């Protein structure tokens, strides 16, 4: 208990106010019939010394609180070893410190129901009332756990820097002695793997077991580090209870148990000071007394014990003890909601140092105790409604998106797959035609475009993430970017919509409607706190996902320029309103663009058709054209496909194609667990492929491949290996990557004048032939001017006409101007208005 | 209160609580009773009967749309009171002192339900008055003031329609019967005085009671925006009302559990029971449609009804077409398309693609309130409709997309939160030049999404959530609409009546109620028919498509084929044919060709304009 010398104004962390907690039907063994409840008789013996002003028959919880004077220091639930010099801080998150009586099961039980706890009571004498927890055994077990538990396979970032072959939690205790932060986070799955029974007790009776854990830790700690000084005693914070993961699955059986749920913070309240202990002073004799707040109510002493004056005691506010409390509202995360329903919200109370740990918008995992509290009809009366209010008292917060700001987040995203599901997925992966199967399962309503679907499939899987930051290169982009361009009405948008619906972290924006800030991030003033907060835009939100951008061509230039950084460096730099930061935006971009002239002009290059800067285009790994092929066989297949769409029943469709859910899981599994690496042959094959690509061009005096293309090839090959669930990138992967890359190039980088594939269309915005042509015109013009002899100035129009007359090929005004500009760059002439002067 | 009921006439065993299955039995009993043919009409409807005429704790029905779903609540399912002889079970938060020894905690959820938005006046009239007609009795039924509506002169609204709420088959009627002899001058809407309280109706200007429905079982089977007919126990216990202003702020410190709710939240979740009654659900029936002229449940008599009507189908169609042709100023083609539009329905979704939607853009509409009159005629034909006048002001100021209000913790409704098969009439002729602000742009985007994908992205502030919908959108505009549409038909008036109002009113007046009712049945029925395409016709369609493409690949695209398949489907259904025939396909092709040539003509006309 707290020392009685608490100074005025100091907030003492004290017990929480929970009037009483209803008992749910606990599913224990096979009892399911209604009346069969754990024994909850009225509390025996110990009772409050102060006159019971309030209605004691309201709730008779066995966890009756006691006044400080009556604290039985030998009770197992009192904190700390008697010798410890460190103040024990109380835990409002667990409810009050309650002195639960221990029951000796072999002597007279206080009521006939005592047998409920007798399941495994043989050999153990005392258990805490209403539970099957024996304090001594529990403590011993937990100490054994702390001393022995080793998790060699640990990959949690919190354990970074710890020796995995030494007992994990002993190392953490050492850390506490150094750092001085008296909190020990314990992963419940560790407890479970070490001692399943202890885990069960922890989940079922957190209120009793966690203080026991605290005690065990402190004994162990002060034994080992007798000289260390802590602010207060160590508190154990368990997390990752496996009991419940989803807010929707909370039900009355979870009441008073430890649960872990995930969700998103939507509102946080201001700090609520909660009175824990009232300080009364007698106006006559200055005698003071303390009264503990009991379920939101203070039993005001009517008579001064010292001078026997009636009604002389007054409450002194600034000598009373308060604790911090905050109400937080958490909403179900959108991922685990059934379609067509609204998200649920839950109220969460944070206490003491957990206050202000989370902000609205954070995605968090909460471990805590689920409570149900009856509502009072009127605060002054003890009548209650039959409807409960529920909330969670937090023990531990874990932000799931916190680590996005710095580095890896593999494990927070981890989706749990059941054994059977993994089996199904692996079976699917072992099929030789899995690649084709998956690609045809992608957007079945969209006809053909097999290669495009394959490209998108590879994009969904992505390459392997590599870290070269040691060598100064930073991260290599693992994400595949794809641009679809083509005639309007070729279901580009539909494809984008499909992808957006398929991936968990997808964002869909339209180029027309999005501004640069909407895509990146903006700084906003929070209306409540008046604080500047950073709001993230679509690109940052789709970190580790796919950002689908429709009508890419309609995007303003300034918006598009943001994409340069995102698409290669995968980061986003912001310098706004005093906030300078770099956010990760490891997103794949799937963009769709319409040709400028509304119809694709096959006589023009891609760049000319969509009018996008080539610097941006070269950042796309694959650029596909979605054109309307005009041949009869295609038409027939298309018609068949469409008509089928309209008359096939649901079942038929299901038979034909993979379920969308399977596809989702397949992708999620591969993305998390498969990290393929290049093997020797594959590297050779890649080198060859690259050299070949360079060779093609060099024959005609142009460069047809750049290192960026090589990187694309590697990514695609890796993605293809992921599709096969293979840990090695093999030659077949490289073959497919090459084929797909070539297909995409053939479609988008074909020089319409020559019919050859020319990568420079995408990298420099102009095909090599066009460049050659430009040079020729310039040369001809120069020759013509030289032949004219010494004329310092010429008429612009006349020169143009002359050149046209002289040249065999048709020369447009654009070409002429380009030639003039080229000559001006050579400092051969200048153009001023309508005259051309030689220099 | 359920138990109260049970004690009266079901199983005395519940008294001793010895039979844990009594709850199931009670439900079974009610379901059985309600299955009986006319039993539905015995139950008074909350939609219609003013709240103050209904006896509290009696069985009522409520036809509604699930507007919002609140968080689950835990309550004491069974508990003991101090006096063991009066064990009973309040469902509605009665005040009790009890010994905390033997309770069972159970879970329930609250749905916020509103009357079906945009329900046409005729549908309301018929469904509630016809119900009253079934059992003549002496007890009082409030006579309703007829809703002011110009066209419904023919409506048969005899004021002395009476009913008896026969909820008690075992006699003991007086405890159940509604109050009799109430003043008949009262109007119907019980929420007249509720203007200060936002009842969160999706559409502006709606009236009627909203209801908090407590659902005890089958929680997962209900979805947002479902239309349901709920049978349940009405509770208007004033104890339930916790008004924010009664709270003494100083008490909050002492009892912080009470302070979790903001006053806004309390107002949203615990409105006065006299305005928003509580309904404890016994049984809910999802409604396929809310057309009162059709049998609502898929029972045997429905199929009999369908087959008997199928015979008439072709003739009714011809009459309806003639009627619509008149309404559309003699334009037969536009009438044909309007008819197809009215029976369209999203019947399935293939991944993201909704199939069967048929958004019609009627361009070239005459100005000056023609569209308004047109809407009134559409409203007379369909059971649910809403006209959204797309003026610059409404687009900028109106809330179309529902938005989560985290302060009050509820979903603030928007005009696009509509029941399935509602006709949404977008009047673009009202749009003038000017600037859309950001909310206007959002609204237009939302309309575009609705038309192209049949979904509405509800705004949850931190993220958006997609709710699929099934709304028939009709856009009337002068030129081509700025919104996307499946099909655009330029109106070509054949007649130019000097006085439009008079012209349309005369046409409307010329129809008998029986005739109009036939149209109504026809439209609702045609929508529900099954449809298939035989292999043979599939082949023919494919061949046809290939041929068309051969001539001119630019002229016919995949999108055109999509549209023609929908047109063919609707055309067949409109004739009562459930399979596509060759003829049907040719007809579909034909009218689509006519329409296209007309559009092109329009385009070239516009092109010639300076």
């Amino acid at each position: 208990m707290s020392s009685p010398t608490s100074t005025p104004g100091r907030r003492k962390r004290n017990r929480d106010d929970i009037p009483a907690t209803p008992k749910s039907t606990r599913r224990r063994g096979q009892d399911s019939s209604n009346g069969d409840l754990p024994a909850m008789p009225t509390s025996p013996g110990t009772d409050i010394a102060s006159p019971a002003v309030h209605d004691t028959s309201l709730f008779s919880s066995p966890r009756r609180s006691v006044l400080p004077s009556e604290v039985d220091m030998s009770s197992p639930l009192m904190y700390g070893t008697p010798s410890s010099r460190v103040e024990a801080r109380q835990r409002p998150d667990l409810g009050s410190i309650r002195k639960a009586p221990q029951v000796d099961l072999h002597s007279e039980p206080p009521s006939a129901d005592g047998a409920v706890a007798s399941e495994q009571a043989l050999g153990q004498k005392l258990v805490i009332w209403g539970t099957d927890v024996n304090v001594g055994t529990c403590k011993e077990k937990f100490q054994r756990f702390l001393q022995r538990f080793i998790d060699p396979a640990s990959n949690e970032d919190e354990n970074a820097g710890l020796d995995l072959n030494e007992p994990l939690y002993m190392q953490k205790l050492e850390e506490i002695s150094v750092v001085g932060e008296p909190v020990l986070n314990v992963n419940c799955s560790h407890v479970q793997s070490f001692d399943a029974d202890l885990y069960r007790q922890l989940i079922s009776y957190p209120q009793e077991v966690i203080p026991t854990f605290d005690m065990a830790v402190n004994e162990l700690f002060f034994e080992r580090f007798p000289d260390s000084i802590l602010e207060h005693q160590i508190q154990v914070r368990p997390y990752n209870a496996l009991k419940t993961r989803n807010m929707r699955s909370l039900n009355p059986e979870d009441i008073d148990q430890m649960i872990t749920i995930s969700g998103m913070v939507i509102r946080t309240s201001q700090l609520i000071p909660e009175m824990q202990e009232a300080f009364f002073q007698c106006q006559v004799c200055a005698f003071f007394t303390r009264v503990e707040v009991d379920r939101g109510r203070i039993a005001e002493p009517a008579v001064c014990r010292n001078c026997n004056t009636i009604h002389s005691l007054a409450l002194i506010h600034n000598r009373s003890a308060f604790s911090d409390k905050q109400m937080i509202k958490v909403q179900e995360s959108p991922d685990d909601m059934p379609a067509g329903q609204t998200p649920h919200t839950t109220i969460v109370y944070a206490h003491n140092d957990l206050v202000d740990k989370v902000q609205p918008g954070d995605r968090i995992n909460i471990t805590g105790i689920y409570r149900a509290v009856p509502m009072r009809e009127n605060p002054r009366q003890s009548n209650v409604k039959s409807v409960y209010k529920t909330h969670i008292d937090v023990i531990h917060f874990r932000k799931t998106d916190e680590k996005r700001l710095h580095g890896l987040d593999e494990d927070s995203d981890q989706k749990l797959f059941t054994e059977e599901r993994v089996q199904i997925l692996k079976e699917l992966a072992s099929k030789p035609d899995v690649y084709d199967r998956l690609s045809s399962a992608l957007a079945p309503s969209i006809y053909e475009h097999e290669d495009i679907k394959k490209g998108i499939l590879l994009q969904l899987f992505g390459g392997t993430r590599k870290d070269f930051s040691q060598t100064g290169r930073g991260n290599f982009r693992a994400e595949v970017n794809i641009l679809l361009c083509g005639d309007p009405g070729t279901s580009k948008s539909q494809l984008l919509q499909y992808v957006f619906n398929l991936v968990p972290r997808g964002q869909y924006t339209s180029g027309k409607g999005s501004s640069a800030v909407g895509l990146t991030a903006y700084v906003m003033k929070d209306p409540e706190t008046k604080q500047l907060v950073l709001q993230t835009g679509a690109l940052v939100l789709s970190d580790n996902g796919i950002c689908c951008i429709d009508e890419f061509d309609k995007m303003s230039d300034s918006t598009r320029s943001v994409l340069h950084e995102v698409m290669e460096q995968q980061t986003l730099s912001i310098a706004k309103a005093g906030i300078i930061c770099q956010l990760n935006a490891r997103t794949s971009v799937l963009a769709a663009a319409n040709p400028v002239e509304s119809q694709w002009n096959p006589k023009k290059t891609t760049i000319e058709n969509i009018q996008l800067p080539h610097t941006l285009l070269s950042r796309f790994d694959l650029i596909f054209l979605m054109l309307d092929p005009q041949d009869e066989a295609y038409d027939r297949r298309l018609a068949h496909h469409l008509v089928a769409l309209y008359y096939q029943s649901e079942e038929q469709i299901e038979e034909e194609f993979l379920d969308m859910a399977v596809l989702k899981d397949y992708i999620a599994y591969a993305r998390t667990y498969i990290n393929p690496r290049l093997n020797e042959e594959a590297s050779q094959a890649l080198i060859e492929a690259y050299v070949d690509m360079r060779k093609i061009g060099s024959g005609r005096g142009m460069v047809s491949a750049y290192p960026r293309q090589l990187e694309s090839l590697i990514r695609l090959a890796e993605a293809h290996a992921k599709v096969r669930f293979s840990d090695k990138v093999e030659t077949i992967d490289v073959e497919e990557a090459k084929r797909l890359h070539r297909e995409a190039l053939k479609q988008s980088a074909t020089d319409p004048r020559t019919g050859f594939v020319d990568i420079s269309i995408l990298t420099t915005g102009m095909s090599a032939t066009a460049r050659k042509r430009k040079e020729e015109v310039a040369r001809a013009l120069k020759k013509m001017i030289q032949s004219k002899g010494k004329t310092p100035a010429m008429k612009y129009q006349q020169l143009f006409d002359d050149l046209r007359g002289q040249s065999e090929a048709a020369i447009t005004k654009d070409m002429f101007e380009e030639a003039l500009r080229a000559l001006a760059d050579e400092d051969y002439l200048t153009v001023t208005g309508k005259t051309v002067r030689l220099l | 209160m359920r138990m109260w009921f049970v004690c009266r006439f079901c199983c005395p065993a519940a008294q001793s609580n010895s039979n844990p299955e009594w709850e199931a039995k009670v439900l079974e009993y009610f379901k059985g009773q309600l299955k009986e043919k006319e039993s539905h009409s015995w139950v008074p409807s909350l939609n219609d009967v003013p709240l103050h005429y209904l006896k509290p704790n009696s069985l009522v029905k409520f036809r509604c749309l699930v507007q919002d779903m609140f968080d689950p609540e835990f309550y004491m399912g069974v508990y003991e009171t101090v006096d063991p002889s009066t064990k009973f079970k309040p469902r509605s938060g009665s005040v009790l002192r009890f010994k905390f020894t033997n309770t069972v905690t159970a879970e329930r959820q609250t749905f916020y339900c509103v009357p079906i938005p945009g329900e046409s006046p005729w549908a309301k009239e018929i469904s509630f008055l016809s119900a009253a007609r079934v059992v003549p009795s002496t007890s009082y039924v409030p006579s309703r003031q007829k809703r002011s509506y110009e066209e419904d002169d023919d409506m048969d609204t005899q004021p002395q329609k009476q009913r008896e709420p026969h909820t008690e088959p075992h006699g003991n009627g007086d405890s159940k019967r509604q109050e009799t002899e109430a003043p008949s001058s009262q109007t119907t809407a019980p929420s007249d005085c509720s203007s200060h309280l936002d009842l969160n109706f999706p559409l502006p200007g709606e009236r009627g009671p909203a209801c908090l429905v407590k659902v005890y079982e089958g929680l997962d089977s209900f979805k947002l925006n479902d239309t349901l007919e709920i049978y349940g126990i009405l509770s208007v216990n004033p104890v339930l009302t916790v008004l924010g202003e009664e709270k003494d702020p100083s008490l909050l410190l002492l009892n912080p559990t009470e302070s979790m709710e903001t006053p806004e939240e309390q107002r949203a979740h615990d409105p006065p029971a006299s305005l928003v009654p509580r309904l404890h659900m016994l049984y809910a029936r999802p409604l396929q449609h809310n057309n009162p002229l059709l049998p609502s449940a898929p029972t045997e008599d429905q199929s009999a009804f369908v087959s008997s009507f199928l015979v008439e189908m072709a003739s009714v169609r011809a009459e309806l077409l003639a009627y619509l042709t008149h309404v559309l100023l003699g334009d037969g083609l536009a009438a044909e398309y309007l008819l197809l539009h009215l029976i369209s329905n999203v019947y399935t979704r293939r991944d993201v693609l909704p199939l069967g939607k048929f958004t019609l853009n009627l361009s070239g509409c005459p100005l000056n309130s023609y569209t308004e009159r047109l809407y009134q005629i559409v409203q007379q034909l369909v059971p649910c409709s809403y006209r959204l006048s797309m003026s610059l002001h409404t687009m900028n100021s109106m809330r179309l997309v529902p938005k989560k209000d985290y302060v009050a913790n509820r979903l603030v409704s928007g005009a696009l939160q509509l029941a399935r098969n509602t006709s949404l009439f977008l009047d673009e002729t009202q749009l003038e030049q000017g600037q859309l602000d950001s909310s206007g742009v959002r609204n237009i985007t939302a309309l575009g999404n609705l038309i192209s994908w049949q979904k509405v992205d509800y705004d949850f502030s931190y993220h958006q959530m997609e709710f699929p919908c099934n709304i028939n959108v009709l856009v009337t505009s002068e030129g081509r609409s700025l919104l996307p549409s499946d099909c655009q038909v330029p109106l070509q008036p054949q007649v130019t009546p000097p006085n439009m109002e008079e012209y349309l009113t005369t046409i409307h007046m010329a129809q008998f109620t029986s005739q109009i009712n036939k149209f109504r049945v026809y439209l609702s029925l045609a929508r529900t028919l099954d449809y298939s395409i035989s292999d043979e016709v599939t082949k023919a369609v494919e061949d046809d498509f290939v041929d068309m493409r051969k001539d001119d690949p630019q002229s016919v695209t995949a999108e055109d084929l999509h549209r023609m398949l929908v047109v063919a489907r609707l055309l067949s259904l409109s004739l009562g044919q459930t399979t596509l025939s060759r003829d049907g396909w040719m007809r579909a092709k034909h009218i689509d060709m006519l329409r296209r040539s007309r559009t092109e003509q329009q385009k070239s006309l516009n092109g010639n304009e300076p």
Side-chain angles (χ1 to χ4, degrees), chain A residues 28 59 80 139 216 310 498 690 701 708 810:
Chain A
R28 190 178 301 149
F59 295 111
K139 208 161 92 179
I310 297 176
Y498 183 88
Y690 182 59
R708 257 199 190 140

Side-chain angles (χ1 to χ4, degrees), chain A residues 496-541:
Chain A
L496 258 58
Q497 278 279 345
Y498 183 88
V499 170
F500 159 63
N501 281 312
L502 187 71
V503 291
R505 250 193 219 145
Q507 290 290 324
Y508 185 94
T509 61
S510 170
K512 230 194 289 183
S514 48
S515 61
V517 285
L519 275 181
T520 57
Y522 49 97
V523 176
M524 216 182 74
K525 197 170 246 173
D526 190 293
E528 275 178 37
T529 60
K530 308 280 180 242
Q531 248 175 8
L532 286 176
V533 284
L534 198 64
Q535 294 280 332
T536 46
L539 284 170
V540 181
L541 285 177

